[in-house]
Amino acid sequence: MNYHIETYGCQMNLHESEKIAAILKEKGYERESGTEEADIIVFNTCCIRENAENHAFGNIGRLKKLKRQKKHLIIAVGGCMVQESGKAEYLKQKFPFLDILFGTHNLSELGELIERKRAQKKAIVSLKEDREETEDGVVPVRKSYPNAWVNIMYGCNNFCSYCIVPYVRGRERSRSPQDVLAEVSSLIKEGYKEITLLGQNVNSYRAEDGTRFPQLLDRAASLEGDFRLRFMTSHPKDFSEELVAIMKKHTRICRQLHLPVQSGSDRVLGLMNRRYTREKYLQEIAQLRREIPDCEVTTDIIVGFPTETEEEFKETLSLVKEADFLSAFTFVYSPRTGTKAAAMEGQISEEVQKDRIMRLVEAVNAQTREKSARCVGTVVEVLCEDFDEKKQMYLGRDEHGRMGYFASGENPVGKFVRLKITGANGISLFGERTE
């Protein structure tokens, strides 16, 4: 029997899809395939933005005919969208051919839900209000070699006014440092070369024994082996001198910090409930670069938040330049039912939002191109990840997150490779091996 998994959203969802694959294999599904050949199809959904939901709706709807043709086919939908208040009922009504609906807090029960569905005709809806344990006992089927993701915590306590995450992921729960470090150590021994510590807000990690994120990062970076570390996502309100000191201490921690700013306007940041100011954010960036001059910063930015004025949008544009971001994930504000921002007056028109996002993207891309152009003539180290069939070149990321493309007579996937950069295009670099 074959399985197919459709994943939407963040690295957290990608990692959880690796766990879903493990559960499916344990239940007898052997090979990942396309939807037409699959005997079970699982949608691991996201609801952070409306586009993600609409994309999932469209792909689910297209399976109606296939389900009619293949009576044994099981279609399951899980993840953040299902956990959203009232959405499971909506999905059940809109797509009556669905077999299983499960949420973010009971992913580990999917195997049991499959068994129940095999034994009955009735659709199964299974949700929990919160995650009971930080360990789910599922060993993921990883497909990302030489990269691996490790969850260090679940949920979020921040309640940014635009964000649905605390409602669908629950309150923060941190895994024990012993369990995290054991998983990281195991991955190093298995040959994984880049390990990313994941959480909705990693730097608010606090274990029951009092271990905080900088201490966990220090211990992970002190493990023996040939590997490098990343972590995401950080919140500016939890930025600390101790974190910077640990990053500076360990050269195997990538010289890149993803620190979402969201807006350059203090008034908008206040409405977003971000709990920091523009000045504080820029001070954090300055401190980071004083201690680690070669550290690059990436970010997330939202435009068109309710009541955002043209002048406030220009404050965001000026922040992009002042903070000197390497790159940014840019988004148009999307109302999420149940959040405070969705009920705010002064929602911005689609026309204005579109104009602002285009100007923002142009500003960010110009900055990224300029930074990449400075790499020409330098030597950078990349971790080779894959082979690009279209370009007929190998590819890998440097510690700042730039993709480097190069030719090689041997297969270097899983190896650190030094490149003399000969060209740049956006955030992509092109180079020749120096060894």
Side-chain angles (χ1 to χ4, degrees), residues 27 69-70 105 130 138 176 195 212 231 241 248 259 308 340 359 391 398 402 410 424:
K27 290 287 118 190
Q69 295 170 346
K70 298 174 67 172
H105 304 311
D130 205 350
V138 180
S176 74
I195 297 165
R212 292 173 292 107
F231 57 91
E241 292 183 9
K248 183 178 181 179
L259 196 64
E308 179 190 61
K340 288 187 177 181
R359 289 154 62 195
K391 289 185 172 68
D398 69 5
R402 296 185 182 95
E410 62 173 5

PDB file of all heavy atoms in Angstrom, residues 27 69-70 105 130 138 176 195 212 231 241 248 259 308 340 359 391 398 402 410 424:
ATOM      1  N   LYS A  27       1.944   1.346   9.964  1.00  0.00           N
ATOM      2  CA  LYS A  27       0.617   0.797   9.687  1.00  0.00           C
ATOM      3  C   LYS A  27       0.565   0.028   8.371  1.00  0.00           C
ATOM      4  O   LYS A  27      -0.505  -0.373   7.909  1.00  0.00           O
ATOM      5  CB  LYS A  27      -0.413   1.945   9.634  1.00  0.00           C
ATOM      6  CG  LYS A  27      -0.671   2.550  10.992  1.00  0.00           C
ATOM      7  CD  LYS A  27      -1.461   1.682  11.847  1.00  0.00           C
ATOM      8  CE  LYS A  27      -1.174   1.079  13.046  1.00  0.00           C
ATOM      9  NZ  LYS A  27      -1.711   0.174  13.826  1.00  0.00           N
ATOM     10  N   GLN A  69     -13.707   6.734  -7.246  1.00  0.00           N
ATOM     11  CA  GLN A  69     -13.148   5.651  -8.045  1.00  0.00           C
ATOM     12  C   GLN A  69     -12.464   4.585  -7.187  1.00  0.00           C
ATOM     13  O   GLN A  69     -12.471   3.403  -7.527  1.00  0.00           O
ATOM     14  CB  GLN A  69     -12.132   6.216  -9.050  1.00  0.00           C
ATOM     15  CG  GLN A  69     -12.748   7.127 -10.100  1.00  0.00           C
ATOM     16  CD  GLN A  69     -11.692   7.860 -10.920  1.00  0.00           C
ATOM     17  OE1 GLN A  69     -10.520   7.884 -10.545  1.00  0.00           O
ATOM     18  NE2 GLN A  69     -12.097   8.446 -12.030  1.00  0.00           N
ATOM     19  N   LYS A  70     -11.853   5.033  -6.075  1.00  0.00           N
ATOM     20  CA  LYS A  70     -11.094   4.116  -5.209  1.00  0.00           C
ATOM     21  C   LYS A  70     -11.777   4.062  -3.846  1.00  0.00           C
ATOM     22  O   LYS A  70     -11.495   4.875  -2.961  1.00  0.00           O
ATOM     23  CB  LYS A  70      -9.635   4.574  -5.077  1.00  0.00           C
ATOM     24  CG  LYS A  70      -8.879   4.590  -6.395  1.00  0.00           C
ATOM     25  CD  LYS A  70      -7.482   5.194  -6.224  1.00  0.00           C
ATOM     26  CE  LYS A  70      -6.593   4.320  -5.372  1.00  0.00           C
ATOM     27  NZ  LYS A  70      -5.172   4.792  -5.356  1.00  0.00           N
ATOM     28  N   HIS A 105      -2.629  18.346  18.433  1.00  0.00           N
ATOM     29  CA  HIS A 105      -2.243  17.796  19.730  1.00  0.00           C
ATOM     30  C   HIS A 105      -2.302  16.279  19.810  1.00  0.00           C
ATOM     31  O   HIS A 105      -1.918  15.703  20.828  1.00  0.00           O
ATOM     32  CB  HIS A 105      -3.131  18.391  20.829  1.00  0.00           C
ATOM     33  CG  HIS A 105      -3.121  19.879  20.875  1.00  0.00           C
ATOM     34  ND1 HIS A 105      -1.957  20.610  20.864  1.00  0.00           N
ATOM     35  CD2 HIS A 105      -4.142  20.788  20.906  1.00  0.00           C
ATOM     36  CE1 HIS A 105      -2.252  21.907  20.907  1.00  0.00           C
ATOM     37  NE2 HIS A 105      -3.571  22.034  20.918  1.00  0.00           N
ATOM     38  N   ASP A 130      -5.505  20.491  24.140  1.00  0.00           N
ATOM     39  CA  ASP A 130      -4.112  20.877  24.361  1.00  0.00           C
ATOM     40  C   ASP A 130      -3.241  19.631  24.309  1.00  0.00           C
ATOM     41  O   ASP A 130      -3.727  18.501  24.426  1.00  0.00           O
ATOM     42  CB  ASP A 130      -3.939  21.582  25.712  1.00  0.00           C
ATOM     43  CG  ASP A 130      -2.725  22.515  25.744  1.00  0.00           C
ATOM     44  OD1 ASP A 130      -1.919  22.464  24.789  1.00  0.00           O
ATOM     45  OD2 ASP A 130      -2.584  23.269  26.715  1.00  0.00           O
ATOM     46  N   VAL A 138       7.141   9.150  18.590  1.00  0.00           N
ATOM     47  CA  VAL A 138       7.222   8.829  17.165  1.00  0.00           C
ATOM     48  C   VAL A 138       8.607   9.191  16.646  1.00  0.00           C
ATOM     49  O   VAL A 138       9.039  10.345  16.753  1.00  0.00           O
ATOM     50  CB  VAL A 138       6.148   9.585  16.358  1.00  0.00           C
ATOM     51  CG1 VAL A 138       6.256   9.225  14.886  1.00  0.00           C
ATOM     52  CG2 VAL A 138       4.758   9.255  16.882  1.00  0.00           C
ATOM     53  N   SER A 176      12.328  18.210  27.722  1.00  0.00           N
ATOM     54  CA  SER A 176      13.449  18.161  28.656  1.00  0.00           C
ATOM     55  C   SER A 176      14.751  18.292  27.879  1.00  0.00           C
ATOM     56  O   SER A 176      14.863  17.792  26.743  1.00  0.00           O
ATOM     57  CB  SER A 176      13.445  16.847  29.436  1.00  0.00           C
ATOM     58  OG  SER A 176      13.877  15.778  28.612  1.00  0.00           O
ATOM     59  N   ILE A 195      21.673  20.684  11.969  1.00  0.00           N
ATOM     60  CA  ILE A 195      20.529  20.409  12.840  1.00  0.00           C
ATOM     61  C   ILE A 195      19.905  21.727  13.247  1.00  0.00           C
ATOM     62  O   ILE A 195      20.597  22.637  13.719  1.00  0.00           O
ATOM     63  CB  ILE A 195      20.975  19.604  14.075  1.00  0.00           C
ATOM     64  CG1 ILE A 195      21.508  18.241  13.609  1.00  0.00           C
ATOM     65  CG2 ILE A 195      19.818  19.428  15.054  1.00  0.00           C
ATOM     66  CD1 ILE A 195      22.296  17.495  14.632  1.00  0.00           C
ATOM     67  N   ARG A 212      17.272  27.130  30.378  1.00  0.00           N
ATOM     68  CA  ARG A 212      16.761  28.099  29.406  1.00  0.00           C
ATOM     69  C   ARG A 212      17.439  27.888  28.052  1.00  0.00           C
ATOM     70  O   ARG A 212      18.384  27.099  27.942  1.00  0.00           O
ATOM     71  CB  ARG A 212      16.993  29.517  29.922  1.00  0.00           C
ATOM     72  CG  ARG A 212      16.125  29.850  31.147  1.00  0.00           C
ATOM     73  CD  ARG A 212      16.470  31.198  31.760  1.00  0.00           C
ATOM     74  NE  ARG A 212      17.795  31.172  32.372  1.00  0.00           N
ATOM     75  CZ  ARG A 212      18.878  31.764  31.874  1.00  0.00           C
ATOM     76  NH1 ARG A 212      18.810  32.431  30.738  1.00  0.00           N
ATOM     77  NH2 ARG A 212      20.045  31.693  32.495  1.00  0.00           N
ATOM     78  N   PHE A 231      18.774  27.610  14.666  1.00  0.00           N
ATOM     79  CA  PHE A 231      17.577  27.599  15.503  1.00  0.00           C
ATOM     80  C   PHE A 231      16.611  28.647  14.975  1.00  0.00           C
ATOM     81  O   PHE A 231      16.995  29.674  14.433  1.00  0.00           O
ATOM     82  CB  PHE A 231      17.917  27.884  16.978  1.00  0.00           C
ATOM     83  CG  PHE A 231      18.641  29.180  17.224  1.00  0.00           C
ATOM     84  CD1 PHE A 231      17.952  30.347  17.494  1.00  0.00           C
ATOM     85  CD2 PHE A 231      20.027  29.221  17.197  1.00  0.00           C
ATOM     86  CE1 PHE A 231      18.619  31.539  17.726  1.00  0.00           C
ATOM     87  CE2 PHE A 231      20.718  30.403  17.429  1.00  0.00           C
ATOM     88  CZ  PHE A 231      20.014  31.563  17.697  1.00  0.00           C
ATOM     89  N   GLU A 241      21.647  39.009  25.985  1.00  0.00           N
ATOM     90  CA  GLU A 241      23.102  39.044  25.867  1.00  0.00           C
ATOM     91  C   GLU A 241      23.675  37.635  25.987  1.00  0.00           C
ATOM     92  O   GLU A 241      24.678  37.305  25.337  1.00  0.00           O
ATOM     93  CB  GLU A 241      23.695  39.943  26.954  1.00  0.00           C
ATOM     94  CG  GLU A 241      23.373  41.421  26.794  1.00  0.00           C
ATOM     95  CD  GLU A 241      24.035  42.268  27.863  1.00  0.00           C
ATOM     96  OE1 GLU A 241      24.876  41.708  28.613  1.00  0.00           O
ATOM     97  OE2 GLU A 241      23.721  43.473  27.945  1.00  0.00           O
ATOM     98  N   LYS A 248      28.495  33.488  19.918  1.00  0.00           N
ATOM     99  CA  LYS A 248      29.876  33.903  19.700  1.00  0.00           C
ATOM    100  C   LYS A 248      30.854  32.807  20.137  1.00  0.00           C
ATOM    101  O   LYS A 248      31.897  32.590  19.505  1.00  0.00           O
ATOM    102  CB  LYS A 248      30.149  35.191  20.474  1.00  0.00           C
ATOM    103  CG  LYS A 248      31.547  35.769  20.268  1.00  0.00           C
ATOM    104  CD  LYS A 248      31.702  37.073  21.032  1.00  0.00           C
ATOM    105  CE  LYS A 248      33.092  37.678  20.825  1.00  0.00           C
ATOM    106  NZ  LYS A 248      33.231  38.964  21.556  1.00  0.00           N
ATOM    107  N   LEU A 259      15.042  36.807  13.131  1.00  0.00           N
ATOM    108  CA  LEU A 259      14.431  37.604  14.190  1.00  0.00           C
ATOM    109  C   LEU A 259      13.280  38.431  13.604  1.00  0.00           C
ATOM    110  O   LEU A 259      13.478  39.546  13.124  1.00  0.00           O
ATOM    111  CB  LEU A 259      15.495  38.524  14.806  1.00  0.00           C
ATOM    112  CG  LEU A 259      15.179  39.155  16.160  1.00  0.00           C
ATOM    113  CD1 LEU A 259      15.047  38.083  17.239  1.00  0.00           C
ATOM    114  CD2 LEU A 259      16.253  40.156  16.553  1.00  0.00           C
ATOM    115  N   GLU A 308      -2.761  50.654   9.495  1.00  0.00           N
ATOM    116  CA  GLU A 308      -1.407  51.068   9.103  1.00  0.00           C
ATOM    117  C   GLU A 308      -1.488  52.190   8.074  1.00  0.00           C
ATOM    118  O   GLU A 308      -2.139  52.063   7.040  1.00  0.00           O
ATOM    119  CB  GLU A 308      -0.652  49.876   8.496  1.00  0.00           C
ATOM    120  CG  GLU A 308       0.771  50.234   8.035  1.00  0.00           C
ATOM    121  CD  GLU A 308       1.413  49.130   7.214  1.00  0.00           C
ATOM    122  OE1 GLU A 308       0.858  48.802   6.138  1.00  0.00           O
ATOM    123  OE2 GLU A 308       2.443  48.589   7.659  1.00  0.00           O
ATOM    124  N   LYS A 340      -7.547  39.043  17.794  1.00  0.00           N
ATOM    125  CA  LYS A 340      -7.986  40.409  18.073  1.00  0.00           C
ATOM    126  C   LYS A 340      -7.931  41.289  16.836  1.00  0.00           C
ATOM    127  O   LYS A 340      -8.794  42.134  16.616  1.00  0.00           O
ATOM    128  CB  LYS A 340      -7.130  41.012  19.193  1.00  0.00           C
ATOM    129  CG  LYS A 340      -7.419  40.436  20.566  1.00  0.00           C
ATOM    130  CD  LYS A 340      -6.669  41.191  21.647  1.00  0.00           C
ATOM    131  CE  LYS A 340      -7.032  40.650  23.034  1.00  0.00           C
ATOM    132  NZ  LYS A 340      -6.326  41.398  24.117  1.00  0.00           N
ATOM    133  N   ARG A 359       6.226  47.094  -3.080  1.00  0.00           N
ATOM    134  CA  ARG A 359       7.304  48.033  -2.760  1.00  0.00           C
ATOM    135  C   ARG A 359       8.253  47.445  -1.724  1.00  0.00           C
ATOM    136  O   ARG A 359       9.474  47.634  -1.791  1.00  0.00           O
ATOM    137  CB  ARG A 359       6.717  49.357  -2.280  1.00  0.00           C
ATOM    138  CG  ARG A 359       6.037  50.155  -3.397  1.00  0.00           C
ATOM    139  CD  ARG A 359       4.956  51.080  -2.863  1.00  0.00           C
ATOM    140  NE  ARG A 359       5.479  52.090  -1.947  1.00  0.00           N
ATOM    141  CZ  ARG A 359       4.701  52.829  -1.137  1.00  0.00           C
ATOM    142  NH1 ARG A 359       3.384  52.632  -1.134  1.00  0.00           N
ATOM    143  NH2 ARG A 359       5.223  53.737  -0.363  1.00  0.00           N
ATOM    144  N   LYS A 391      19.586  22.846 -13.437  1.00  0.00           N
ATOM    145  CA  LYS A 391      20.845  23.579 -13.586  1.00  0.00           C
ATOM    146  C   LYS A 391      22.024  22.655 -13.837  1.00  0.00           C
ATOM    147  O   LYS A 391      23.105  23.101 -14.220  1.00  0.00           O
ATOM    148  CB  LYS A 391      21.123  24.423 -12.334  1.00  0.00           C
ATOM    149  CG  LYS A 391      20.218  25.624 -12.147  1.00  0.00           C
ATOM    150  CD  LYS A 391      20.664  26.447 -10.939  1.00  0.00           C
ATOM    151  CE  LYS A 391      19.902  27.763 -10.814  1.00  0.00           C
ATOM    152  NZ  LYS A 391      18.488  27.570 -10.482  1.00  0.00           N
ATOM    153  N   ASP A 398      25.166  28.136   2.620  1.00  0.00           N
ATOM    154  CA  ASP A 398      26.212  28.582   3.531  1.00  0.00           C
ATOM    155  C   ASP A 398      25.574  28.840   4.900  1.00  0.00           C
ATOM    156  O   ASP A 398      24.363  28.697   5.070  1.00  0.00           O
ATOM    157  CB  ASP A 398      26.957  29.803   2.982  1.00  0.00           C
ATOM    158  CG  ASP A 398      26.118  31.080   2.947  1.00  0.00           C
ATOM    159  OD1 ASP A 398      24.961  31.078   3.429  1.00  0.00           O
ATOM    160  OD2 ASP A 398      26.619  32.104   2.440  1.00  0.00           O
ATOM    161  N   ARG A 402      22.326  31.401   2.386  1.00  0.00           N
ATOM    162  CA  ARG A 402      22.374  31.568   0.930  1.00  0.00           C
ATOM    163  C   ARG A 402      22.601  30.214   0.265  1.00  0.00           C
ATOM    164  O   ARG A 402      23.356  29.384   0.762  1.00  0.00           O
ATOM    165  CB  ARG A 402      23.518  32.499   0.519  1.00  0.00           C
ATOM    166  CG  ARG A 402      23.428  33.923   1.002  1.00  0.00           C
ATOM    167  CD  ARG A 402      24.588  34.712   0.389  1.00  0.00           C
ATOM    168  NE  ARG A 402      24.620  36.087   0.834  1.00  0.00           N
ATOM    169  CZ  ARG A 402      25.350  36.531   1.851  1.00  0.00           C
ATOM    170  NH1 ARG A 402      26.103  35.692   2.536  1.00  0.00           N
ATOM    171  NH2 ARG A 402      25.333  37.814   2.177  1.00  0.00           N
ATOM    172  N   GLU A 410      32.435  14.513  -8.459  1.00  0.00           N
ATOM    173  CA  GLU A 410      31.986  13.483  -7.534  1.00  0.00           C
ATOM    174  C   GLU A 410      30.711  13.953  -6.840  1.00  0.00           C
ATOM    175  O   GLU A 410      30.392  15.139  -6.871  1.00  0.00           O
ATOM    176  CB  GLU A 410      33.061  13.208  -6.480  1.00  0.00           C
ATOM    177  CG  GLU A 410      33.375  14.420  -5.629  1.00  0.00           C
ATOM    178  CD  GLU A 410      34.322  14.096  -4.481  1.00  0.00           C
ATOM    179  OE1 GLU A 410      34.804  12.948  -4.413  1.00  0.00           O
ATOM    180  OE2 GLU A 410      34.570  14.983  -3.658  1.00  0.00           O
ATOM    181  N   ALA A 424      26.606  35.869  -8.661  1.00  0.00           N
ATOM    182  CA  ALA A 424      25.499  35.930  -7.703  1.00  0.00           C
ATOM    183  C   ALA A 424      24.228  36.331  -8.424  1.00  0.00           C
ATOM    184  O   ALA A 424      24.254  37.118  -9.374  1.00  0.00           O
ATOM    185  CB  ALA A 424      25.803  36.920  -6.588  1.00  0.00           C
TER     186      ALA A 424
END
